[in-house]
Amino acid sequence: MGQRLGQHFLVRQAILERIAEAACPDESAEKTGTVVEIGPGRGALTSYLLARAERVVAIEIDPVLVQYLRAKFRDEPRLTLVEADVLKSDLAQWGAAAVVGNLPYYITSPILVKTLRLGGQSSGQLTHAVFLVQKEVAERLTAHPGTRDYGYLSVQTQLLSAPELMFSVPAAAFRPPPKVDSAVVRLTPRDFPEFPALDREAFLAFVGRCFRQKRKTIRNNLLGSYERAILDSIPQTSRRAEQLSISEFADLFRRVVGGGAAPVS
């Protein structure tokens, strides 16, 4: 089995305070409403969140940690503990909320997707998300076109949100320390005003094909999936995927897919 949520516990108090502040900024005298915490571990961050939020829902998969948390916070009525796999949980059930978590590398991407799907909807279920991730992942989430770190994860995240790299977290801030540094990112959902008619699922599948092999041109990545004649007629396909902005990908998507080129595979 892969690494479980909360295996590396963040113990540096100043950093825990900064994460809680990013999740629950003091923009008014009132506390932030609901915060959903993914993988609370031993509850170090949970305590700081409770100091700033009206309600915290903590989702933990490890039954031993759940038992520990129940004992630690037995006198805290504003905390709801949920023993569950976050990937199998309905995050919308608690209403509009901020989502916070220390994400293990192996499930970072699916949790990001699940969380960001709460945003950009008329219901506005996601106010924002604050995640502690490996630093290299944070750099990919916030990367710009034409840079080494820019890829499918960048496009996926930036289509759905406006990501900010808040600050770095050294390995020494954890117990036991991981082998890599981490960083905190804040994701604010977009409402898609720029691409109102875009089929997000189909678009992201298309972008994934464009990035299939990063060193190849878009044309070579899409050959075998779309008609050669259409690909040859569009100048952008001679570029590599890492060079295109989301707007340029959207234009390419409309020209290739909107032009009637059904995928071959």
Side-chain angles (χ1 to χ4, degrees):
M1 182 175 178
Q3 179 186 14
R4 281 190 165 190
L5 286 167
Q7 185 171 342
H8 295 284
F9 298 108
L10 181 62
V11 295
R12 192 165 293 178
Q13 303 302 310
I15 294 175
L16 291 164
E17 176 66 38
R18 289 183 72 185
I19 295 173
E21 184 178 358
C24 309
D26 283 330
E27 295 177 351
S28 70
E30 296 181 2
K31 290 184 175 180
T32 298
T34 300
V35 175
V36 175
E37 184 183 7
I38 296 172
R42 293 176 181 156
L45 178 59
T46 312
S47 297
Y48 284 94
L49 294 173
L50 284 166
R52 289 175 170 267
E54 293 177 358
R55 180 190 184 199
V56 176
V57 178
I59 306 172
E60 176 58 60
I61 194 172
D62 189 326
V64 175
L65 289 173
V66 170
Q67 187 176 8
Y68 174 86
L69 291 167
R70 283 193 179 127
K72 180 175 182 177
F73 294 103
R74 61 183 175 274
D75 297 324
E76 181 48 82
R78 295 181 298 112
L79 175 65
T80 301
L81 272 172
V82 180
E83 184 180 337
D85 180 347
V86 65
L87 294 177
K88 298 177 182 177
S89 302
D90 175 16
L91 299 182
Q93 66 183 288
W94 297 290
V99 178
V100 186
N102 173 11
L103 306 188
Y105 183 81
Y106 77 103
I107 55 169
T108 294
S109 185
I111 288 180
L112 284 171
V113 172
K114 186 178 183 73
T115 301
L116 290 175
R117 279 177 177 163
L118 294 171
Q121 303 169 349
S122 58
S123 58
Q125 293 290 322
L126 178 69
T127 58
H128 57 276
V130 176
F131 290 132
L132 179 60
V133 296
Q134 283 193 11
K135 192 172 183 179
E136 66 177 70
V137 174
E139 290 167 347
R140 286 163 58 197
L141 296 178
T142 57
H144 299 292
T147 61
R148 182 191 64 182
D149 293 320
Y150 185 74
Y152 174 80
L153 188 62
S154 315
V155 173
Q156 178 190 55
T157 304
Q158 293 170 33
L159 174 70
L160 302 172
S161 71
E164 309 165 73
L165 200 162
M166 305 294 288
F167 54 90
S168 298
V169 180
F174 295 85
R175 189 174 300 152
K179 295 179 180 178
V180 296
D181 286 339
S182 301
V184 172
V185 292
R186 182 164 60 195
L187 312 175
T188 304
R190 297 190 191 276
D191 292 325
F192 313 110
E194 193 175 357
F195 311 106
L198 197 64
D199 180 333
R200 283 183 288 161
E201 298 300 325
F203 173 69
L204 289 173
F206 175 79
V207 171
R209 293 176 188 273
C210 293
F211 276 107
R212 188 175 289 168
Q213 293 187 52
K214 286 191 71 174
R215 299 180 71 86
K216 287 188 173 184
T217 64
I218 292 172
R219 175 188 178 276
N220 287 342
N221 276 330
L222 295 182
L223 274 176
S225 297
Y226 299 94
E227 296 173 21
R228 181 187 297 267
I230 290 179
L231 297 176
D232 288 345
S233 71
I234 302 173
Q236 290 101 314
T237 63
S238 65
R239 300 164 71 188
R240 292 197 297 203
E242 65 190 40
Q243 298 174 290
L244 267 63
S245 67
I246 295 179
S247 295
E248 289 173 315
F249 271 121
D251 179 62
L252 182 63
F253 174 71
R254 293 187 189 103
R255 296 182 69 181
V256 174
V257 180
V264 175
S265 59

